[in-house]
Amino acid sequence: MTHVQRLKYSILIIVVVLGMMLGLSYLQKQGTISEQTFQYAAIAIAVVVVVINGLLRRKVKP
């Protein structure tokens, strides 16, 4: 994987995470999910993104 490919994947991940967080925020405002559920989902999303970022970093060829 090149640096350009990693940048493209990173931008894609940013857009997906932003969409997920906006969706969770919308659901919370509608009363579909509670504050605690929102917090757990946000933490889970953050952990997954950190793991994916670490895997992408390892696959970049110098």
Side-chain angles (χ1 to χ4, degrees):
M1 178 177 292
T2 65
H3 289 287
V4 174
Q5 286 175 323
R6 182 172 181 260
L7 178 65
K8 288 178 184 176
Y9 282 120
S10 294
I11 292 171
L12 177 65
I13 289 169
I14 289 168
V15 170
V16 169
V17 168
L18 180 63
M20 292 172 75
M21 294 306 292
L22 288 173
L24 284 173
S25 178
Y26 174 76
L27 289 175
Q28 184 188 4
K29 285 181 184 176
Q30 295 298 315
T32 308
I33 61 174
S34 67
E35 175 73 25
Q36 189 150 6
T37 305
F38 175 83
Q39 289 175 354
Y40 287 148
I43 291 169
I45 291 169
V47 169
V48 169
V49 168
V50 168
V51 169
I52 290 172
N53 193 27
L55 291 173
L56 288 176
R57 185 171 292 202
R58 290 184 125 177
K59 296 199 181 282
V60 172
K61 304 281 186 214

